[in-house]
Amino acid sequence: MGFLWVLVAALSVIVLICVFALVDQYQSLELIRAALKLEDNPSPIPFASDGSVKPSLVGLPAELDQQSYLPVLFVSVSCSTCRSIVEGLRRRDFDLVWIVLQHAHSEDEGRLWLEGLGVPLARTTVDVDGSVAQAIGIDTVPAVIIYGSGEPFLAQTLPSFRQLQPLLKPREMAPDMTPPLPFAKEGTVRL
């Protein structure tokens, strides 16, 4: 019987050492991710605040200028993160988002990519020549720019769908509050 107690104690020590080793590995992994900047954090994208990036002025439909809240999502056919973000949108309301698809070789290729993901084509622009993204100053995908009545107030990269979710709908406001999200100048966010 004493032998069993010694065996149980030895196994308990081994399990405890393994748990401490896993905690140490997790902490090391977090340090490595932070050092390599692999964290799931969006980066601000600077944009012109002089009214030159209204949807109608950059090549998007003019009716988008009138929407009180409009996330414009920039994705690419060659980006796996972009694909996962668009797939995440299938569970959401597409009526609130406009998608600009980049890096398609042709309009047809872009439309096939979008149809394959179940994206309503009426809410998209296939930016074959990159002119829409260039006019705004978007050079990274996936990215999002948020418009309020035709005026941009936030632009950032999207490392995951998790970062897009809070931007899909404006925050609820009390009657005495101002803008739904903190207004940003040159792509920075005030919190």
Side-chain angles (χ1 to χ4, degrees):
M1 186 70 163
F3 174 73
L4 287 176
W5 284 109
V6 171
L7 184 62
V8 167
L11 288 174
S12 297
V13 168
I14 290 171
V15 167
L16 191 61
I17 290 171
C18 290
V19 166
F20 285 137
L22 285 173
V23 168
D24 183 57
Q25 283 183 339
Y26 177 76
Q27 290 173 342
S28 298
L29 180 62
E30 289 298 311
L31 289 172
I32 290 169
R33 287 175 57 86
L36 295 176
K37 297 182 180 177
L38 295 175
E39 297 174 354
D40 184 16
N41 294 326
S43 299
I45 298 173
F47 58 87
S49 58
D50 61 359
S52 64
V53 292
K54 283 184 179 264
S56 61
L57 297 178
V58 297
L60 296 174
E63 62 266 13
L64 298 180
D65 289 349
Q66 306 307 316
Q67 290 194 5
S68 62
Y69 187 83
L70 175 69
V72 178
L73 181 61
F74 289 83
V75 294
S76 169
V77 295
S78 60
C79 166
S80 59
T81 303
C82 297
R83 178 178 283 279
S84 69
I85 289 172
V86 172
E87 286 174 346
L89 282 173
R90 280 194 284 204
R91 299 183 302 266
R92 302 284 178 209
D93 188 4
F94 267 112
D95 293 341
L96 301 172
V97 180
W98 191 268
I99 295 178
V100 177
L101 182 64
Q102 297 180 280
H103 305 123
H105 294 102
S106 68
E107 187 91 19
D108 290 337
E109 178 191 1
R111 294 205 181 279
L112 284 173
W113 190 86
L114 292 164
E115 286 174 349
L117 292 174
V119 175
L121 298 179
R123 301 290 302 166
T124 64
T125 297
V126 178
D127 191 17
V128 176
D129 61 356
S131 60
V132 174
Q134 185 178 10
I136 297 172
I138 303 288
D139 59 2
T140 304
V141 290
V144 66
I145 186 164
I146 307 292
Y147 287 96
S149 300
E151 294 298 323
F153 61 90
L154 178 112
Q156 68 182 36
T157 60
L158 287 173
S160 69
F161 182 73
R162 185 177 68 85
Q163 296 296 335
L164 177 63
Q165 277 182 303
L167 302 175
L168 290 177
K169 292 187 180 184
R171 294 182 185 158
E172 295 297 321
M173 297 186 312
D176 61 339
M177 292 179 69
T178 49
L181 286 175
F183 274 92
K185 292 292 182 194
E186 299 299 313
T188 59
V189 180
R190 291 184 315 190
L191 295 177

